[in-house]
Amino acid sequence: MKRRSLGQHYLVDPEAVRRIVELARVGPSDRVLEIGTGKGVLTRELAGLGASLEAYEVDRKNYEETLEAVEGTKARVHLGDAFRQRPGFDVLVSSLPYSESARFVEWLCGTEFDRAVVVLQEDFVRKIAAPPGARDYRGVSALAQISFGISVLGRVGRESFSPRPRVNSVIVSFEPKLRIPEEEVASVKRLFSLRRRQVGAALAELGMKGPG
């Protein structure tokens, strides 16, 4: 599947890449994961830090370009879906396809890690930060707020991508609070497919705040 069809525009601005990597605070002993390498611009910067790096890309052409970008380094680049593989890591650093944002949060809920620094669509970040009762409050909002401490670290200008997107992007950090097993993630998603009044009652039984 092509990255463009996944809703991703390629991060190409070296200054933005350096800022993202700096905010990730990667140490030499960290196991680093990147999901969605694109053309390998961020991968190359991460590979130069000396930490253990694994990167995943679903598009073969991008995968091959990333291999060339990190040639001569110790980075391990995989052609495949990291969400299906569940590799172990300490720090996740990624510029994700926008269409994969909700899937990423659901996957991260059940993952053991130290921190994640990710570029996401600003509208999606507002959704996961929406308080109970707000119009944008969804199942992914409940999951994100239960599982993580979420902070917006900065913005990434539209000119930092190619092709230039129509939406704004932000750099977001996720700090783990509570792991949620995959089956419980699925249960919360099912709850939010119900009518709002039913959702509130069901979540209250679980000791969680509903959408009001």
Side-chain angles (χ1 to χ4, degrees):
M1 183 181 294
K2 297 295 184 183
R3 291 260 299 187
R4 184 70 184 275
S5 69
L6 291 174
Q8 175 69 4
H9 300 252
Y10 299 110
L11 183 63
V12 295
D13 179 13
E15 183 58 36
V17 168
R18 283 192 290 271
R19 185 155 52 101
I20 293 163
V21 171
E22 180 181 338
L23 289 169
R25 310 186 322 274
V26 173
S29 62
D30 285 329
R31 296 173 301 158
V32 183
L33 174 66
E34 182 188 12
I35 299 176
T37 65
K39 303 297 183 181
V41 177
L42 179 58
T43 321
R44 182 171 59 243
E45 190 76 13
L46 291 169
L49 298 177
S52 170
L53 171 63
E54 285 197 75
Y56 284 77
E57 172 57 54
V58 298
D59 180 78
R60 180 172 291 278
K61 186 174 185 298
N62 291 341
Y63 162 74
E64 292 172 352
E65 289 190 32
T66 301
L67 285 178
E68 292 181 9
V70 299
E71 186 176 2
T73 73
K74 296 180 180 180
R76 291 169 290 174
V77 184
H78 307 279
L79 178 63
D81 187 344
F83 297 142
R84 295 184 182 275
Q85 301 299 323
R86 284 199 172 274
F89 65 95
D90 302 312
V91 185
L92 186 147
V93 188
S94 290
S95 178
L96 290 166
Y98 295 146
S99 62
E100 295 290 277
S101 299
R103 188 180 177 213
F104 161 72
V105 170
E106 293 165 9
W107 171 83
L108 197 64
C109 284
T111 304
E112 186 175 355
F113 68 104
D114 290 337
R115 62 193 176 279
V117 174
V118 184
V119 178
L120 295 170
Q121 183 178 342
E122 188 174 34
D123 287 349
F124 177 77
V125 175
R126 279 200 294 266
K127 180 184 293 184
I128 62 175
R135 184 174 183 178
D136 286 341
Y137 191 73
R138 300 287 189 274
V140 71
S141 313
L143 290 168
Q145 292 170 35
I146 293 166
S147 294
F148 316 116
I150 303 169
S151 302
V152 174
L153 304 180
R155 295 179 178 272
V156 181
R158 299 183 190 187
E159 67 280 0
S160 297
F161 298 89
S162 179
R164 183 170 174 156
R166 296 179 180 178
V167 298
N168 296 316
S169 301
V170 291
I171 307 169
V172 185
S173 73
F174 293 83
E175 301 282 345
K177 294 195 302 186
L178 177 68
R179 289 176 64 188
I180 303 178
E182 188 174 348
E183 60 272 16
E184 292 186 19
V185 170
S187 295
V188 171
K189 289 175 65 179
R190 283 195 298 271
L191 287 174
F192 275 81
S193 69
L194 303 173
R195 291 184 178 181
R196 293 174 69 84
R197 190 172 298 176
Q198 292 174 298
V199 172
L203 288 178
E205 291 184 7
L206 297 174
M208 300 160 59
K209 293 183 178 180

